[in-house]
Amino acid sequence: MESRLKIAGQAVQPILVMFPLGLFAMAIIFDLANLAGAPAIVGSLAYWNIVAGLVGGIAAAVAGAIDVAFVRRPEAKRIGVLRMLLNMGVLFLFAVIVMVRVGDPNREAGVGLFLLELIALAISGFGAWFGGELANGRTPAFARAAVGNRGY
């Protein structure tokens, strides 16, 4: 799947994906430090990292949607939509985490939210790997099976 949205010959979407991944990973590191006894400001830093990651994730999702919109082959389009749904699910999980944290004056996460963050980061890591495989022209077996003979 070739990107249609490029700057100086480089695809924009893979570059944009790295920002939310890094911000979400830093949020988890900050939350781990906060749970280990760091000052409350560290929990606030984690919260704002997630907020910034959501903004970057939305930008990456828009760039990905532009790329998928121009795909002509139905099988490739289905795989692209599968990748987008995976990434949107991660954004949804982090948006829920932000909404729950808004109620805390220090924006700190408890153990339950921290575990949810770990799950969301694991899914986003899988999504990044999946996107990299697609960019390198290798479709993983589960994706080929998912878009196999549908009969329509």
Side-chain angles (χ1 to χ4, degrees):
M1 203 166 77
E2 184 177 334
S3 178
R4 299 288 181 184
L5 190 59
K6 294 182 179 183
I7 295 177
Q10 296 295 318
V12 172
Q13 199 266 345
I15 296 168
L16 290 177
V17 166
M18 293 302 118
F19 289 107
L21 284 175
L23 289 165
F24 293 152
M26 282 306 300
I28 288 176
I29 292 169
F30 286 143
D31 277 337
L32 181 63
N34 192 26
L35 289 173
I41 188 75
V42 176
S44 295
L45 286 173
Y47 171 81
W48 288 110
N49 268 293
I50 293 173
V51 170
L54 286 172
V55 172
I58 291 169
V62 169
I66 291 170
D67 287 345
V68 169
F70 289 103
V71 173
R72 296 190 193 280
R73 293 181 323 155
E75 181 177 313
K77 187 169 263 217
R78 285 188 197 121
I79 291 173
V81 169
L82 177 66
R83 184 194 63 162
M84 284 186 57
L85 288 173
L86 186 66
N87 293 335
M88 293 303 293
V90 169
L91 290 178
F92 177 76
L93 284 174
F94 276 109
V96 168
I97 291 167
V98 165
M99 288 188 282
V100 171
R101 289 176 84 153
V102 165
D104 187 297
N106 292 327
R107 309 293 192 251
E108 295 176 342
V111 175
L113 278 181
F114 179 73
L115 293 175
L116 185 59
E117 287 177 13
L118 283 176
I119 291 169
L121 186 67
I123 295 170
S124 68
F126 175 76
W129 168 81
F130 182 46
E133 289 292 300
L134 293 177
N136 290 326
R138 298 183 302 259
T139 305
F142 73 89
R144 284 192 303 270
V147 298
N149 189 4
R150 298 272 185 179
Y152 54 85

